[in-house]
Short mmCIF file of all heavy atoms in Angstrom, two decimals:
data_model
loop_
_atom_site.label_atom_id
_atom_site.label_comp_id
_atom_site.label_asym_id
_atom_site.label_seq_id
_atom_site.Cartn_x
_atom_site.Cartn_y
_atom_site.Cartn_z
N MET A 1 -65.21 13.79 -3.24
CA MET A 1 -64.91 14.80 -2.25
C MET A 1 -63.39 14.99 -2.16
O MET A 1 -62.62 14.04 -2.23
CB MET A 1 -65.46 14.36 -0.90
CG MET A 1 -65.24 15.37 0.19
SD MET A 1 -66.14 14.84 1.67
CE MET A 1 -65.75 16.18 2.72
N THR A 2 -62.94 16.21 -2.03
CA THR A 2 -61.53 16.53 -1.97
C THR A 2 -61.06 16.53 -0.52
O THR A 2 -61.68 17.14 0.34
CB THR A 2 -61.30 17.93 -2.59
OG1 THR A 2 -61.80 17.93 -3.91
CG2 THR A 2 -59.83 18.26 -2.61
N SER A 3 -59.93 15.84 -0.25
CA SER A 3 -59.38 15.83 1.10
C SER A 3 -58.75 17.19 1.39
O SER A 3 -58.41 17.93 0.47
CB SER A 3 -58.35 14.73 1.25
OG SER A 3 -57.17 15.08 0.55
N PRO A 4 -58.56 17.51 2.69
CA PRO A 4 -57.91 18.79 3.02
C PRO A 4 -56.53 18.90 2.39
O PRO A 4 -56.13 19.96 1.94
CB PRO A 4 -57.83 18.76 4.55
CG PRO A 4 -58.94 17.84 4.96
CD PRO A 4 -59.04 16.81 3.86
N ASP A 5 -55.78 17.76 2.33
CA ASP A 5 -54.45 17.80 1.74
C ASP A 5 -54.54 18.10 0.25
O ASP A 5 -53.78 18.91 -0.28
CB ASP A 5 -53.74 16.48 1.98
CG ASP A 5 -52.29 16.52 1.54
OD1 ASP A 5 -51.59 17.48 1.93
OD2 ASP A 5 -51.87 15.62 0.81
N GLU A 6 -55.48 17.46 -0.43
CA GLU A 6 -55.65 17.71 -1.87
C GLU A 6 -56.07 19.15 -2.11
O GLU A 6 -55.62 19.79 -3.06
CB GLU A 6 -56.69 16.75 -2.45
CG GLU A 6 -56.20 15.31 -2.51
CD GLU A 6 -57.31 14.36 -2.90
OE1 GLU A 6 -58.49 14.66 -2.61
OE2 GLU A 6 -56.98 13.32 -3.46
N ALA A 7 -56.94 19.66 -1.24
CA ALA A 7 -57.38 21.04 -1.38
C ALA A 7 -56.20 21.99 -1.25
O ALA A 7 -56.07 22.95 -2.01
CB ALA A 7 -58.46 21.38 -0.36
N GLY A 8 -55.30 21.69 -0.27
CA GLY A 8 -54.12 22.52 -0.09
C GLY A 8 -53.22 22.51 -1.30
O GLY A 8 -52.68 23.52 -1.72
N ARG A 9 -53.05 21.33 -1.92
CA ARG A 9 -52.21 21.22 -3.11
C ARG A 9 -52.82 22.01 -4.27
O ARG A 9 -52.11 22.61 -5.05
CB ARG A 9 -52.04 19.77 -3.52
CG ARG A 9 -51.15 19.00 -2.59
CD ARG A 9 -51.08 17.55 -3.02
NE ARG A 9 -50.39 16.76 -2.03
CZ ARG A 9 -49.09 16.61 -1.99
NH1 ARG A 9 -48.34 17.20 -2.88
NH2 ARG A 9 -48.53 15.88 -1.06
N GLN A 10 -54.13 21.98 -4.38
CA GLN A 10 -54.78 22.71 -5.46
C GLN A 10 -54.63 24.21 -5.27
O GLN A 10 -54.53 24.95 -6.23
CB GLN A 10 -56.25 22.31 -5.55
CG GLN A 10 -56.43 20.88 -6.04
CD GLN A 10 -57.86 20.40 -5.98
OE1 GLN A 10 -58.74 21.14 -5.56
NE2 GLN A 10 -58.09 19.16 -6.37
N GLU A 11 -54.62 24.65 -4.00
CA GLU A 11 -54.47 26.08 -3.73
C GLU A 11 -53.03 26.53 -3.95
O GLU A 11 -52.78 27.67 -4.26
CB GLU A 11 -54.87 26.39 -2.29
CG GLU A 11 -56.35 26.20 -2.05
CD GLU A 11 -56.70 26.28 -0.57
OE1 GLU A 11 -55.84 26.67 0.23
OE2 GLU A 11 -57.83 25.92 -0.23
N ARG A 12 -52.04 25.63 -3.73
CA ARG A 12 -50.64 25.99 -3.84
C ARG A 12 -49.91 24.97 -4.71
O ARG A 12 -48.95 24.35 -4.27
CB ARG A 12 -49.99 26.01 -2.46
CG ARG A 12 -50.65 26.96 -1.48
CD ARG A 12 -50.14 26.69 -0.10
NE ARG A 12 -50.40 25.28 0.18
CZ ARG A 12 -49.91 24.59 1.19
NH1 ARG A 12 -49.13 25.13 2.02
NH2 ARG A 12 -50.20 23.33 1.37
N PRO A 13 -50.31 24.76 -5.93
CA PRO A 13 -49.70 23.71 -6.74
C PRO A 13 -48.23 23.95 -7.02
O PRO A 13 -47.50 23.03 -7.33
CB PRO A 13 -50.52 23.75 -8.03
CG PRO A 13 -51.02 25.14 -8.10
CD PRO A 13 -51.28 25.54 -6.67
N GLU A 14 -47.77 25.18 -6.90
CA GLU A 14 -46.37 25.49 -7.20
C GLU A 14 -45.43 25.22 -6.04
O GLU A 14 -44.24 25.31 -6.17
CB GLU A 14 -46.25 26.95 -7.63
CG GLU A 14 -46.37 27.96 -6.51
CD GLU A 14 -47.79 28.14 -5.97
OE1 GLU A 14 -48.75 27.60 -6.54
OE2 GLU A 14 -47.94 28.85 -4.97
N GLN A 15 -45.97 24.89 -4.85
CA GLN A 15 -45.12 24.70 -3.68
C GLN A 15 -44.74 23.22 -3.54
O GLN A 15 -45.62 22.37 -3.42
CB GLN A 15 -45.84 25.18 -2.42
CG GLN A 15 -46.06 26.67 -2.44
CD GLN A 15 -46.47 27.19 -1.08
OE1 GLN A 15 -46.55 26.45 -0.12
NE2 GLN A 15 -46.71 28.47 -1.01
N PRO A 16 -43.45 22.93 -3.52
CA PRO A 16 -43.02 21.53 -3.37
C PRO A 16 -43.23 21.04 -1.94
O PRO A 16 -43.33 21.83 -1.01
CB PRO A 16 -41.54 21.60 -3.72
CG PRO A 16 -41.15 22.99 -3.35
CD PRO A 16 -42.35 23.86 -3.64
N ASP A 17 -43.28 19.72 -1.79
CA ASP A 17 -43.39 19.10 -0.47
C ASP A 17 -42.03 18.96 0.20
O ASP A 17 -41.93 18.89 1.41
CB ASP A 17 -44.04 17.72 -0.58
CG ASP A 17 -45.48 17.82 -1.05
OD1 ASP A 17 -46.17 18.78 -0.66
OD2 ASP A 17 -45.90 16.95 -1.83
N VAL A 18 -40.98 18.87 -0.63
CA VAL A 18 -39.63 18.68 -0.11
C VAL A 18 -38.72 19.68 -0.80
O VAL A 18 -38.76 19.85 -2.02
CB VAL A 18 -39.12 17.25 -0.38
CG1 VAL A 18 -37.69 17.08 0.07
CG2 VAL A 18 -40.03 16.22 0.29
N ILE A 19 -37.90 20.36 0.00
CA ILE A 19 -36.94 21.33 -0.53
C ILE A 19 -35.57 20.97 0.01
O ILE A 19 -35.40 20.83 1.23
CB ILE A 19 -37.30 22.77 -0.09
CG1 ILE A 19 -38.69 23.14 -0.60
CG2 ILE A 19 -36.25 23.75 -0.59
CD1 ILE A 19 -39.23 24.42 -0.01
N LEU A 20 -34.59 20.78 -0.88
CA LEU A 20 -33.22 20.50 -0.48
C LEU A 20 -32.45 21.81 -0.48
O LEU A 20 -32.30 22.45 -1.51
CB LEU A 20 -32.57 19.51 -1.44
CG LEU A 20 -33.29 18.16 -1.58
CD1 LEU A 20 -32.56 17.28 -2.60
CD2 LEU A 20 -33.41 17.45 -0.24
N CYS A 21 -31.98 22.21 0.70
CA CYS A 21 -31.23 23.45 0.83
C CYS A 21 -29.75 23.18 0.57
O CYS A 21 -29.19 22.22 1.11
CB CYS A 21 -31.41 24.02 2.24
SG CYS A 21 -33.12 24.38 2.65
N ALA A 22 -29.11 24.02 -0.22
CA ALA A 22 -27.69 23.85 -0.50
C ALA A 22 -26.90 23.91 0.80
O ALA A 22 -27.04 24.86 1.57
CB ALA A 22 -27.22 24.94 -1.46
N ASP A 23 -26.10 22.89 1.05
CA ASP A 23 -25.29 22.80 2.27
C ASP A 23 -26.11 22.92 3.53
O ASP A 23 -25.60 23.36 4.57
CB ASP A 23 -24.18 23.86 2.26
CG ASP A 23 -23.15 23.56 1.19
OD1 ASP A 23 -22.72 22.40 1.09
OD2 ASP A 23 -22.79 24.49 0.46
N GLY A 24 -27.36 22.58 3.47
CA GLY A 24 -28.24 22.69 4.64
C GLY A 24 -29.23 21.56 4.71
O GLY A 24 -29.03 20.49 4.13
N PRO A 25 -30.31 21.78 5.43
CA PRO A 25 -31.27 20.71 5.69
C PRO A 25 -32.19 20.41 4.51
O PRO A 25 -32.20 21.11 3.50
CB PRO A 25 -32.08 21.29 6.85
CG PRO A 25 -32.08 22.75 6.60
CD PRO A 25 -30.70 23.05 6.06
N MET A 26 -32.97 19.37 4.70
CA MET A 26 -34.06 19.04 3.81
C MET A 26 -35.33 19.53 4.51
O MET A 26 -35.59 19.13 5.65
CB MET A 26 -34.15 17.53 3.57
CG MET A 26 -35.36 17.11 2.77
SD MET A 26 -35.35 15.37 2.28
CE MET A 26 -35.31 14.55 3.85
N LEU A 27 -36.06 20.41 3.87
CA LEU A 27 -37.30 20.93 4.43
C LEU A 27 -38.45 20.09 3.92
O LEU A 27 -38.55 19.83 2.72
CB LEU A 27 -37.50 22.39 4.03
CG LEU A 27 -36.36 23.35 4.37
CD1 LEU A 27 -36.69 24.75 3.89
CD2 LEU A 27 -36.06 23.34 5.86
N VAL A 28 -39.30 19.63 4.85
CA VAL A 28 -40.48 18.86 4.45
C VAL A 28 -41.72 19.57 4.95
O VAL A 28 -41.75 20.11 6.04
CB VAL A 28 -40.43 17.41 4.96
CG1 VAL A 28 -39.29 16.65 4.33
CG2 VAL A 28 -40.33 17.36 6.47
N ARG A 29 -42.72 19.57 4.11
CA ARG A 29 -43.97 20.26 4.41
C ARG A 29 -45.00 19.26 4.93
O ARG A 29 -45.20 18.20 4.33
CB ARG A 29 -44.49 20.92 3.14
CG ARG A 29 -45.65 21.85 3.34
CD ARG A 29 -46.11 22.43 2.01
NE ARG A 29 -45.04 23.00 1.21
CZ ARG A 29 -44.55 24.22 1.38
NH1 ARG A 29 -45.04 25.00 2.30
NH2 ARG A 29 -43.58 24.67 0.60
N GLY A 30 -45.62 19.57 6.06
CA GLY A 30 -46.71 18.74 6.57
C GLY A 30 -46.27 17.73 7.60
O GLY A 30 -45.14 17.73 8.08
N ASP A 31 -47.21 16.85 7.98
CA ASP A 31 -46.96 15.83 9.00
C ASP A 31 -46.20 14.66 8.39
O ASP A 31 -46.59 14.16 7.33
CB ASP A 31 -48.29 15.31 9.56
CG ASP A 31 -49.08 16.40 10.25
OD1 ASP A 31 -48.55 17.51 10.43
OD2 ASP A 31 -50.23 16.13 10.61
N HIS A 32 -45.16 14.23 9.10
CA HIS A 32 -44.36 13.09 8.64
C HIS A 32 -43.82 12.32 9.83
O HIS A 32 -43.71 12.86 10.93
CB HIS A 32 -43.16 13.56 7.80
CG HIS A 32 -43.54 14.16 6.50
ND1 HIS A 32 -43.87 13.41 5.40
CD2 HIS A 32 -43.66 15.45 6.13
CE1 HIS A 32 -44.17 14.21 4.40
NE2 HIS A 32 -44.07 15.46 4.82
N VAL A 33 -43.45 11.09 9.60
CA VAL A 33 -42.66 10.31 10.55
C VAL A 33 -41.31 10.09 9.88
O VAL A 33 -41.24 9.54 8.78
CB VAL A 33 -43.33 8.96 10.90
CG1 VAL A 33 -42.42 8.16 11.80
CG2 VAL A 33 -44.69 9.22 11.56
N VAL A 34 -40.26 10.53 10.55
CA VAL A 34 -38.90 10.41 10.03
C VAL A 34 -38.20 9.29 10.78
O VAL A 34 -38.21 9.26 12.01
CB VAL A 34 -38.13 11.74 10.22
CG1 VAL A 34 -36.69 11.59 9.76
CG2 VAL A 34 -38.83 12.87 9.48
N GLN A 35 -37.60 8.36 10.05
CA GLN A 35 -36.82 7.28 10.67
C GLN A 35 -35.36 7.65 10.61
O GLN A 35 -34.82 7.94 9.54
CB GLN A 35 -37.06 5.96 9.95
CG GLN A 35 -36.31 4.80 10.59
CD GLN A 35 -36.68 3.47 9.98
OE1 GLN A 35 -37.82 3.25 9.59
NE2 GLN A 35 -35.72 2.58 9.91
N ASP A 36 -34.69 7.64 11.80
CA ASP A 36 -33.26 7.96 11.82
C ASP A 36 -32.43 6.73 11.48
O ASP A 36 -32.96 5.64 11.26
CB ASP A 36 -32.87 8.59 13.17
CG ASP A 36 -33.06 7.65 14.35
OD1 ASP A 36 -32.97 6.42 14.17
OD2 ASP A 36 -33.32 8.17 15.46
N ALA A 37 -31.10 6.91 11.46
CA ALA A 37 -30.20 5.83 11.05
C ALA A 37 -30.25 4.64 11.99
O ALA A 37 -29.91 3.52 11.60
CB ALA A 37 -28.77 6.36 10.95
N ASP A 38 -30.67 4.86 13.23
CA ASP A 38 -30.76 3.77 14.21
C ASP A 38 -32.15 3.13 14.24
O ASP A 38 -32.41 2.26 15.07
CB ASP A 38 -30.41 4.28 15.60
CG ASP A 38 -28.97 4.78 15.68
OD1 ASP A 38 -28.11 4.18 15.00
OD2 ASP A 38 -28.71 5.76 16.40
N GLY A 39 -33.03 3.58 13.37
CA GLY A 39 -34.37 3.02 13.31
C GLY A 39 -35.37 3.75 14.18
O GLY A 39 -36.55 3.38 14.20
N GLY A 40 -34.93 4.77 14.91
CA GLY A 40 -35.84 5.55 15.75
C GLY A 40 -36.82 6.34 14.90
O GLY A 40 -36.45 6.85 13.83
N LEU A 41 -38.05 6.42 15.37
CA LEU A 41 -39.07 7.15 14.63
C LEU A 41 -39.35 8.48 15.30
O LEU A 41 -39.47 8.56 16.53
CB LEU A 41 -40.35 6.32 14.55
CG LEU A 41 -40.21 4.96 13.86
CD1 LEU A 41 -41.52 4.20 13.89
CD2 LEU A 41 -39.72 5.13 12.42
N HIS A 42 -39.47 9.53 14.50
CA HIS A 42 -39.68 10.89 15.00
C HIS A 42 -40.82 11.52 14.21
O HIS A 42 -40.71 11.70 13.00
CB HIS A 42 -38.41 11.73 14.81
CG HIS A 42 -37.20 11.08 15.39
ND1 HIS A 42 -36.77 11.33 16.67
CD2 HIS A 42 -36.36 10.15 14.87
CE1 HIS A 42 -35.69 10.60 16.91
NE2 HIS A 42 -35.42 9.88 15.84
N ARG A 43 -41.90 11.83 14.91
CA ARG A 43 -43.06 12.42 14.25
C ARG A 43 -42.95 13.94 14.28
O ARG A 43 -42.56 14.53 15.27
CB ARG A 43 -44.36 12.01 14.94
CG ARG A 43 -45.58 12.71 14.34
CD ARG A 43 -46.87 12.17 14.88
NE ARG A 43 -47.16 10.83 14.40
CZ ARG A 43 -47.59 10.54 13.17
NH1 ARG A 43 -47.80 11.50 12.30
NH2 ARG A 43 -47.82 9.31 12.82
N THR A 44 -43.29 14.54 13.17
CA THR A 44 -43.37 15.99 13.12
C THR A 44 -44.78 16.39 12.71
O THR A 44 -45.38 15.76 11.84
CB THR A 44 -42.35 16.59 12.13
OG1 THR A 44 -42.57 18.00 12.08
CG2 THR A 44 -42.47 16.01 10.74
N THR A 45 -45.28 17.41 13.37
CA THR A 45 -46.60 17.93 13.03
C THR A 45 -46.50 19.41 12.69
O THR A 45 -47.51 20.09 12.56
CB THR A 45 -47.59 17.73 14.19
OG1 THR A 45 -47.07 18.37 15.35
CG2 THR A 45 -47.81 16.25 14.46
N ARG A 46 -45.25 19.90 12.56
CA ARG A 46 -45.06 21.31 12.24
C ARG A 46 -45.41 21.54 10.77
O ARG A 46 -45.28 20.64 9.95
CB ARG A 46 -43.61 21.71 12.50
CG ARG A 46 -43.22 21.51 13.95
CD ARG A 46 -41.78 21.80 14.15
NE ARG A 46 -41.53 23.21 13.92
CZ ARG A 46 -40.45 23.83 14.30
NH1 ARG A 46 -39.49 23.20 14.93
NH2 ARG A 46 -40.30 25.12 14.07
N PRO A 47 -45.78 22.75 10.43
CA PRO A 47 -46.08 23.04 9.01
C PRO A 47 -44.88 22.75 8.10
O PRO A 47 -45.04 22.22 7.02
CB PRO A 47 -46.44 24.53 9.01
CG PRO A 47 -46.89 24.80 10.40
CD PRO A 47 -46.08 23.90 11.29
N ILE A 48 -43.68 23.11 8.56
CA ILE A 48 -42.45 22.81 7.82
C ILE A 48 -41.41 22.35 8.83
O ILE A 48 -41.22 22.98 9.87
CB ILE A 48 -41.93 24.04 7.06
CG1 ILE A 48 -42.93 24.45 5.99
CG2 ILE A 48 -40.56 23.75 6.44
CD1 ILE A 48 -42.55 25.71 5.21
N SER A 49 -40.74 21.25 8.53
CA SER A 49 -39.69 20.71 9.41
C SER A 49 -38.38 20.65 8.64
O SER A 49 -38.37 20.38 7.44
CB SER A 49 -40.06 19.31 9.89
OG SER A 49 -41.26 19.34 10.63
N ALA A 50 -37.27 20.87 9.35
CA ALA A 50 -35.94 20.83 8.75
C ALA A 50 -35.22 19.58 9.24
O ALA A 50 -34.99 19.42 10.44
CB ALA A 50 -35.15 22.07 9.12
N ILE A 51 -34.87 18.71 8.31
CA ILE A 51 -34.19 17.46 8.62
C ILE A 51 -32.71 17.63 8.28
O ILE A 51 -32.37 18.03 7.16
CB ILE A 51 -34.80 16.29 7.84
CG1 ILE A 51 -36.29 16.16 8.22
CG2 ILE A 51 -34.05 15.00 8.12
CD1 ILE A 51 -37.06 15.20 7.35
N CYS A 52 -31.86 17.31 9.24
CA CYS A 52 -30.42 17.48 9.06
C CYS A 52 -29.90 16.57 7.96
O CYS A 52 -30.24 15.40 7.88
CB CYS A 52 -29.71 17.15 10.38
SG CYS A 52 -27.90 17.22 10.25
N ARG A 53 -29.05 17.15 7.10
CA ARG A 53 -28.37 16.37 6.06
C ARG A 53 -26.86 16.41 6.24
O ARG A 53 -26.14 15.73 5.52
CB ARG A 53 -28.73 16.91 4.67
CG ARG A 53 -30.17 16.66 4.29
CD ARG A 53 -30.41 16.83 2.80
NE ARG A 53 -29.97 18.14 2.32
CZ ARG A 53 -29.53 18.35 1.09
NH1 ARG A 53 -29.45 17.36 0.23
NH2 ARG A 53 -29.16 19.56 0.71
N CYS A 54 -26.36 17.24 7.19
CA CYS A 54 -24.92 17.35 7.35
C CYS A 54 -24.37 16.33 8.35
O CYS A 54 -23.17 16.09 8.38
CB CYS A 54 -24.54 18.76 7.78
SG CYS A 54 -24.92 19.15 9.51
N GLY A 55 -25.21 15.76 9.17
CA GLY A 55 -24.77 14.77 10.15
C GLY A 55 -24.17 15.37 11.40
O GLY A 55 -23.64 14.65 12.25
N LYS A 56 -24.22 16.67 11.58
CA LYS A 56 -23.59 17.32 12.73
C LYS A 56 -24.58 17.91 13.72
O LYS A 56 -24.17 18.49 14.73
CB LYS A 56 -22.66 18.46 12.23
CG LYS A 56 -21.60 18.00 11.26
CD LYS A 56 -20.65 17.00 11.89
CE LYS A 56 -19.54 16.62 10.92
NZ LYS A 56 -18.72 15.53 11.42
N SER A 57 -25.86 17.77 13.48
CA SER A 57 -26.86 18.35 14.38
C SER A 57 -26.77 17.75 15.78
O SER A 57 -26.52 16.56 15.95
CB SER A 57 -28.27 18.09 13.82
OG SER A 57 -29.24 18.50 14.75
N GLY A 58 -27.00 18.57 16.78
CA GLY A 58 -27.05 18.11 18.15
C GLY A 58 -28.41 17.56 18.53
O GLY A 58 -28.57 17.03 19.63
N VAL A 59 -29.39 17.70 17.65
CA VAL A 59 -30.75 17.21 17.92
C VAL A 59 -31.27 16.40 16.73
O VAL A 59 -32.34 16.67 16.20
CB VAL A 59 -31.71 18.37 18.25
CG1 VAL A 59 -31.37 19.00 19.58
CG2 VAL A 59 -31.71 19.41 17.13
N PRO A 60 -30.48 15.40 16.29
CA PRO A 60 -30.90 14.63 15.12
C PRO A 60 -32.24 13.94 15.34
O PRO A 60 -32.56 13.60 16.48
CB PRO A 60 -29.77 13.60 14.96
CG PRO A 60 -29.15 13.46 16.31
CD PRO A 60 -29.31 14.82 16.95
N PRO A 61 -33.05 13.77 14.34
CA PRO A 61 -32.75 14.02 12.93
C PRO A 61 -33.02 15.45 12.49
O PRO A 61 -32.93 15.74 11.31
CB PRO A 61 -33.69 13.04 12.22
CG PRO A 61 -34.91 13.06 13.10
CD PRO A 61 -34.36 13.14 14.50
N TRP A 62 -33.29 16.34 13.43
CA TRP A 62 -33.66 17.71 13.06
C TRP A 62 -32.44 18.58 12.88
O TRP A 62 -31.41 18.38 13.55
CB TRP A 62 -34.59 18.31 14.12
CG TRP A 62 -35.69 17.36 14.49
CD1 TRP A 62 -35.93 16.83 15.72
CD2 TRP A 62 -36.68 16.80 13.63
NE1 TRP A 62 -37.00 15.97 15.68
CE2 TRP A 62 -37.48 15.93 14.41
CE3 TRP A 62 -36.97 16.93 12.28
CZ2 TRP A 62 -38.55 15.20 13.87
CZ3 TRP A 62 -38.03 16.20 11.74
CH2 TRP A 62 -38.81 15.36 12.53
N CYS A 63 -32.55 19.56 12.05
CA CYS A 63 -31.49 20.55 11.84
C CYS A 63 -31.50 21.54 13.00
O CYS A 63 -32.57 22.04 13.39
CB CYS A 63 -31.74 21.29 10.52
SG CYS A 63 -30.67 22.71 10.25
N ASP A 64 -30.32 21.82 13.55
CA ASP A 64 -30.21 22.85 14.59
C ASP A 64 -29.30 23.99 14.13
O ASP A 64 -28.80 24.75 14.94
CB ASP A 64 -29.72 22.25 15.91
CG ASP A 64 -28.29 21.73 15.82
OD1 ASP A 64 -27.68 21.78 14.72
OD2 ASP A 64 -27.78 21.29 16.87
N ALA A 65 -29.08 24.06 12.84
CA ALA A 65 -28.29 25.12 12.19
C ALA A 65 -26.79 24.94 12.37
O ALA A 65 -26.02 25.82 11.99
CB ALA A 65 -28.73 26.51 12.63
N THR A 66 -26.34 23.82 12.92
CA THR A 66 -24.90 23.57 13.03
C THR A 66 -24.23 23.59 11.66
O THR A 66 -23.06 23.95 11.55
CB THR A 66 -24.65 22.22 13.73
OG1 THR A 66 -25.22 22.28 15.04
CG2 THR A 66 -23.18 21.90 13.84
N HIS A 67 -24.97 23.22 10.62
CA HIS A 67 -24.39 23.21 9.27
C HIS A 67 -23.81 24.56 8.87
O HIS A 67 -22.94 24.63 8.02
CB HIS A 67 -25.44 22.75 8.24
CG HIS A 67 -26.59 23.70 8.11
ND1 HIS A 67 -27.73 23.60 8.88
CD2 HIS A 67 -26.76 24.78 7.32
CE1 HIS A 67 -28.56 24.57 8.55
NE2 HIS A 67 -28.00 25.29 7.61
N LYS A 68 -24.27 25.62 9.52
CA LYS A 68 -23.80 26.95 9.16
C LYS A 68 -22.37 27.21 9.61
O LYS A 68 -21.73 28.14 9.13
CB LYS A 68 -24.73 28.02 9.75
CG LYS A 68 -26.11 28.00 9.13
CD LYS A 68 -27.00 29.09 9.70
CE LYS A 68 -28.37 29.07 9.05
NZ LYS A 68 -29.26 30.10 9.59
N VAL A 69 -21.87 26.41 10.57
CA VAL A 69 -20.52 26.64 11.09
C VAL A 69 -19.53 25.57 10.65
O VAL A 69 -18.39 25.58 11.10
CB VAL A 69 -20.53 26.75 12.62
CG1 VAL A 69 -21.34 27.95 13.08
CG2 VAL A 69 -21.04 25.48 13.27
N ILE A 70 -19.96 24.66 9.78
CA ILE A 70 -19.02 23.65 9.28
C ILE A 70 -18.68 24.03 7.84
O ILE A 70 -19.43 24.74 7.18
CB ILE A 70 -19.59 22.22 9.36
CG1 ILE A 70 -20.85 22.06 8.52
CG2 ILE A 70 -19.85 21.84 10.81
CD1 ILE A 70 -21.39 20.64 8.49
N PRO A 71 -17.51 23.56 7.36
CA PRO A 71 -17.10 23.91 5.99
C PRO A 71 -18.16 23.50 4.97
O PRO A 71 -18.77 22.44 5.08
CB PRO A 71 -15.80 23.10 5.79
CG PRO A 71 -15.31 22.87 7.17
CD PRO A 71 -16.52 22.74 8.03
N ARG A 72 -18.33 24.35 3.96
CA ARG A 72 -19.31 24.10 2.90
C ARG A 72 -18.87 22.91 2.07
O ARG A 72 -17.69 22.69 1.82
CB ARG A 72 -19.45 25.33 2.01
CG ARG A 72 -20.03 26.50 2.74
CD ARG A 72 -20.09 27.71 1.82
NE ARG A 72 -20.91 27.44 0.67
CZ ARG A 72 -22.16 27.89 0.52
NH1 ARG A 72 -22.69 28.63 1.45
NH2 ARG A 72 -22.85 27.60 -0.56
N ARG A 73 -19.86 22.12 1.62
CA ARG A 73 -19.59 20.94 0.79
C ARG A 73 -19.69 21.26 -0.68
O ARG A 73 -19.12 20.59 -1.51
CB ARG A 73 -20.57 19.83 1.14
CG ARG A 73 -20.31 19.25 2.52
CD ARG A 73 -21.44 18.36 2.93
NE ARG A 73 -22.60 19.23 3.18
CZ ARG A 73 -23.79 18.80 3.53
NH1 ARG A 73 -24.01 17.52 3.66
NH2 ARG A 73 -24.77 19.64 3.76
N SER A 74 -20.43 22.30 -1.03
CA SER A 74 -20.59 22.64 -2.44
C SER A 74 -19.88 23.95 -2.72
O SER A 74 -19.61 24.75 -1.83
CB SER A 74 -22.06 22.77 -2.81
OG SER A 74 -22.66 23.81 -2.08
N ALA A 75 -19.54 24.15 -3.98
CA ALA A 75 -18.83 25.38 -4.35
C ALA A 75 -19.80 26.52 -4.47
O ALA A 75 -20.96 26.36 -4.67
CB ALA A 75 -18.12 25.17 -5.67
S1 FES B 1 -28.27 20.37 8.10
FE1 FES B 1 -28.53 21.79 9.66
S2 FES B 1 -27.51 20.92 11.34
FE2 FES B 1 -27.24 19.48 9.76
#
């Protein structure tokens, strides 16, 4: 028997589970528990969640788009 998650992957095999945005967040698909740098656990149940990679978010570990107003790291 195919699990709902496996069924979803078969329907969308071309869609990655994790997307790294240039100078922006890491997008993760599906339910996850994210551990922050202090060991705090944060559960997400959203279809897609944005995890901050710039370290400047006001709502860590989630991206709040602050990365858009800080200098770019990549050319
Ligand atoms: S990546 Fe968006 S606020 Fe850090």
Side-chain angles (χ1 to χ4, degrees):
M1 182 172 182
T2 303
S3 73
D5 187 49
E6 290 172 332
R9 288 177 188 274
Q10 290 173 0
E11 292 170 11
R12 302 168 303 168
E14 74 287 353
Q15 294 193 2
D17 295 323
V18 176
I19 300 169
L20 302 179
C21 300
D23 292 314
M26 174 171 60
L27 305 179
V28 295
R29 189 182 309 278
D31 298 352
H32 292 280
V33 176
V34 176
Q35 182 173 326
D36 63 29
D38 297 325
L41 300 177
H42 307 267
R43 175 172 289 284
T44 176
T45 57
R46 300 175 67 164
I48 296 177
S49 300
I51 300 170
C52 176
R53 292 196 305 150
C54 74
K56 303 298 184 188
S57 173
V59 292
W62 313 119
C63 171
D64 66 357
T66 300
H67 64 271
K68 293 182 179 179
V69 297
I70 61 175
R72 294 177 60 102
R73 290 169 290 178
S74 62

